[in-house]
């Protein structure tokens, strides 16, 4: 399954990019119509279940917050000209800003403005979910040039009882064991963080929906932190089915790739993802688990301790574009998105195809020539790899080593090991362990 060739990768990358571009302008937050609109775009591709959880619902140690929506916001100068306009960039308003309309001096206004003095041309991204406040964000260059006069500010927002919204798509496989794929949907116009993750998982869900798989695949599109906590609170009884999982974010830039292992550190997803990265031809960075990052923090909290890792390209916080207006559509590319997609599908293929076998001729090597197995292989480089794979598989298939163990030990791509094992099984040289 899932063995994309080059033209397919490019086409896939282009489709992911197109969806990322479509959802990029939407003003999302941890609740509100921006999330709903985003999930409607995802629903155009896969049959998403959208859940609405009322404000005030207790979820683990948290409570679902009030719902935030915004219609308009601006700052006008003394001549009535809009010098900051929410309609030009939704980053201009701090997320969860309470409504305000008043005139004020420059000194008063400055208490409600965030800038990035070290990156004077960029607008920062700021939130204030759990403290009632309001603020604008703007470039430091514009901020410094503001004349000392009277300004009028408007934030036409509402913060009231409503719902937290998340979306879920379950592709049913042959077993109820699940592979969780999770992306946060709470950032406004930031392309890499995380339109890239939402769009990539949508494309993957669409592709998986047409495949027969061993595992069931659960795709979760939820606001960061509170969304994952809400989902966990409502699905506590089913989380034991999650055997593998990935949180994805920032998949569209050329950096990394960066993989942070699950808290357990040696689960199949850790090994399959590291294996996929090792054979990617890129320069991956592998990190051990740490309790700082995205929603793997919730999935890997000790009471759940799920086998869930984090895949990114550049690491969050480590690049100048992070949480600024420079994280725009120019920062992500179809090529990088296609590469990220392939990294994930390669890891999925390793998890789907992993199995343990017994070599049926374990005393001495089986005579491969007599079975036409050397003849079946040409003289090219792939053939050399397939020959080595054959020898490794026959030697290590003692009912103890899986194909992934063998691929790791032989330093061969899992796809080569799997293809070769299928050939050996066809010649009755392998039988599944336990049979
Ligand atoms: Zn972020």
């Amino acid at each position: 399954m899932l063995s994309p060739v080059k033209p397919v990768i490019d086409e896939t990358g282009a489709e992911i990019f197109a969806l990322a571009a479509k959802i990029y302008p939407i003003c999302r937050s941890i609740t509100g119509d921006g999330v709903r609109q985003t999930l409607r775009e995802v629903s155009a591709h896969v049959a998403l279940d959208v859940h609405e959880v009322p404000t005030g619902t207790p979820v683990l140690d948290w409570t679902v917050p009030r719902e935030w929506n915004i219609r308009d916001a601006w700052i006008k100068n003394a001549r009535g000209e809009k010098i900051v306009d929410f309609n030009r960039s939704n980053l201009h308003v701090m997320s969860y800003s309470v409504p305000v309309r008043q005139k004020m001096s420059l000194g008063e206004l400055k208490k409600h403005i965030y800038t990035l003095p070290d990156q004077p041309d960029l607008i920062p991204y700021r939130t204030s979910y759990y403290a009632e406040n309001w603020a604008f964000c703007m470039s430091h260059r514009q901020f410094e040039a503001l004349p000392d006069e009277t300004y009028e500010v408007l934030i036409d927002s509402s913060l009231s009882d409503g719902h937290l919204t998340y979306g879920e798509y379950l592709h049913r496989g042959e077993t109820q064991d699940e592979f969780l794929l999770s992306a946060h949907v709470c950032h406004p116009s930031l392309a890499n963080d995380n339109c890239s993750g939402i769009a990539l998982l949508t494309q993957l869900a669409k592709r998986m929906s047409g495949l027969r798989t061993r595992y069931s695949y659960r795709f979760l599109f939820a606001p960061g932190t509170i969304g994952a906590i809400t989902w966990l609170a409502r699905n506590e009884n089913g989380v034991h089915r999650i055997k593998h999982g990935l949180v994805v974010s920032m998949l569209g830039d050329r950096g990394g790739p960066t993989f942070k292992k699950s808290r357990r550190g040696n689960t199949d997803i850790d090994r399959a993802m590291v294996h996929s990265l090792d054979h990617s031809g890129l320069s991956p960075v592998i990190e051990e688990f740490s309790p700082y990052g995205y929603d793997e923090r919730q999935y890997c909290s000790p009471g759940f301790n799920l086998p869930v890792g984090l895949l990114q390209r550049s690491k969050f916080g480590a690049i100048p574009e992070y949480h600024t207006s420079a994280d725009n559509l120019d920062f992500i590319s179809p090529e990088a998105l296609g590469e990220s997609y392939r990294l994930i599908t390669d890891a999925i293929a390793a998890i789907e195809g992993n199995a343990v076998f017994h070599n049926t001729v374990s005393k001495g090597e089986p005579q491969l020539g007599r079975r036409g197995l050397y003849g079946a292989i040409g003289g090219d480089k792939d053939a050399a790899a397939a020959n080595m794979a054959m020898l490794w598989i026959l030697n290590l298939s003692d009912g103890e080593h899986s194909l992934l163990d063998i691929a790791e030990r032989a330093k061969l791509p899992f796809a080569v090991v799997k293809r070769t094992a299928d050939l050996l099984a066809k010649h009755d040289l392998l039988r599944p362990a336990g049979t």
Side-chain angles (χ1 to χ4, degrees):
M1 61 161 291
L2 295 174
S3 50
V5 288
K6 193 84 171 83
V8 177
I9 294 168
D10 291 341
E11 204 178 287
T12 302
E15 282 185 44
I16 298 168
F17 185 88
L19 179 58
K22 196 159 189 196
I23 60 176
Y24 172 76
I26 301 172
C27 183
R28 281 165 291 268
S29 185
I30 53 172
T31 61
D33 290 334
V35 173
R36 292 189 188 97
Q37 201 183 334
T38 303
L39 297 181
R40 270 199 298 279
E41 293 295 345
V42 173
S43 297
H45 300 270
V46 286
L48 209 58
D49 285 324
V50 176
H51 302 265
E52 298 275 357
V53 185
T55 298
T57 305
V59 284
L60 306 181
D61 196 46
W62 297 54
T63 305
V64 171
R66 286 184 290 168
E67 179 177 328
W68 185 71
N69 283 293
I70 181 161
R71 288 157 292 277
D72 197 8
W74 41 253
I75 302 173
K76 285 182 182 171
N77 64 16
R79 286 178 304 287
E81 297 158 344
K82 285 184 191 173
I83 56 160
V84 167
D85 187 351
F86 170 74
N87 291 303
R88 290 182 60 186
S89 169
N90 55 38
L91 297 180
H92 276 314
V93 178
M94 179 172 75
S95 194
Y96 262 68
S97 283
V98 295
V100 59
R101 178 160 202 168
Q102 68 185 86
K103 291 191 172 176
M104 60 183 66
S105 66
L106 179 63
E108 273 301 304
L109 179 62
K110 278 186 168 179
K111 292 179 195 162
H112 293 276
I113 289 182
Y114 287 103
T115 69
L116 296 167
D118 295 337
Q119 297 169 288
D121 294 312
L122 303 181
I123 308 167
Y125 162 55
R126 289 283 184 275
T127 67
S128 180
Y129 301 137
Y130 302 104
E132 267 195 32
N133 203 349
W134 64 268
F136 284 90
C137 303
M138 67 169 76
S139 77
H140 196 68
R141 213 174 289 286
Q142 183 185 13
F143 175 75
E144 285 203 304
L146 290 177
D148 192 1
E149 58 186 18
T150 302
Y151 292 86
E152 184 179 6
V153 300
L154 167 90
I155 296 180
D156 180 11
S157 64
S158 58
L159 187 56
S160 49
D161 284 358
H163 295 83
L164 176 148
T165 315
Y166 67 85
E168 215 175 349
Y169 170 71
L170 179 67
H171 162 71
R172 290 190 195 282
E174 287 161 14
T175 67
Q176 290 204 328
D177 287 346
E178 288 183 11
F179 193 130
L180 174 71
L181 291 135
S182 175
H184 63 275
V185 296
C186 50
H187 287 29
S189 291
L190 297 171
N192 207 25
D193 181 14
N194 191 23
C195 294
S196 68
I198 301 166
L200 188 144
L201 286 196
T202 302
Q203 179 69 20
L204 183 60
K206 191 163 122 183
R207 176 80 69 86
M208 300 295 286
S209 68
L211 295 175
R212 284 190 60 155
T213 57
R214 173 170 149 195
Y215 289 99
S216 294
Y217 288 78
R218 186 176 296 280
F219 294 83
L220 182 58
F221 302 88
T225 307
I226 188 69
I229 284 172
T230 300
W231 185 84
L232 284 164
R234 289 161 58 99
N235 293 276
E236 205 167 340
N237 294 333
V239 295
H240 65 275
R241 285 197 286 270
I242 296 171
K243 305 300 181 200
H244 319 284
L246 267 185
V247 169
V248 300
S249 75
M250 314 230 317
L251 294 175
D253 70 289
R254 285 300 180 94
T258 311
F259 178 64
K260 185 175 90 175
K261 292 181 183 177
S262 73
R263 181 174 183 266
R264 282 147 68 175
N266 60 351
T267 66
D268 284 353
I269 187 61
D270 297 311
R271 294 176 55 203
M273 206 61 246
V274 169
H275 183 76
S276 165
L277 290 164
D278 280 348
H279 291 275
S280 64
L282 301 168
S283 308
V285 178
I286 313 291
E287 297 186 338
E288 295 302 320
F289 179 78
S290 65
Y292 188 58
Y294 292 99
D295 286 330
E296 72 284 358
R297 292 157 63 166
Q298 314 311 329
Y299 305 127
C300 297
S301 55
F304 292 109
N305 202 17
L306 297 174
V308 177
L310 167 66
L311 182 68
Q312 310 165 92
R313 299 300 300 260
S314 290
K315 191 181 170 181
F316 71 90
I319 46 169
E321 293 84 358
Y322 178 72
H323 281 190
T324 75
S325 52
D327 181 358
N328 55 38
L329 292 173
D330 292 336
F331 186 51
I332 65 172
S333 70
E335 293 72 24
L337 289 163
E339 273 174 359
S340 300
Y341 183 87
R342 192 194 62 210
L343 292 172
I344 295 171
T345 53
D346 281 356
I348 289 175
I351 281 175
E352 280 282 320
N354 200 18
V356 181
F357 292 96
H358 275 287
N359 171 357
T360 58
V361 183
S362 60
K363 291 180 174 161
E365 289 181 342
Q367 199 186 351
L368 298 172
R370 170 157 63 82
R371 294 174 170 86
L373 284 170
Y374 274 130
I377 293 160
D380 59 21
K381 209 169 104 240
D382 283 355
N387 263 329
M388 282 312 292
M390 210 175 290
L391 299 176
W392 275 110
I393 294 165
L394 288 167
N395 187 277
L396 289 179
S397 287
D398 52 3
E400 303 288 327
H401 298 89
S402 71
L403 295 183
L404 185 54
D405 293 331
I406 296 169
E408 284 177 344
R409 182 91 174 262
K411 296 187 168 50
L412 289 168
F414 183 85
V416 172
V417 171
K418 171 77 171 111
R419 213 164 39 233
T420 309
D422 289 345
L423 183 67
L424 291 170
K426 208 191 288 175
H427 285 82
D428 297 323
L429 287 170
L430 293 181
R431 64 178 164 80
T435 59

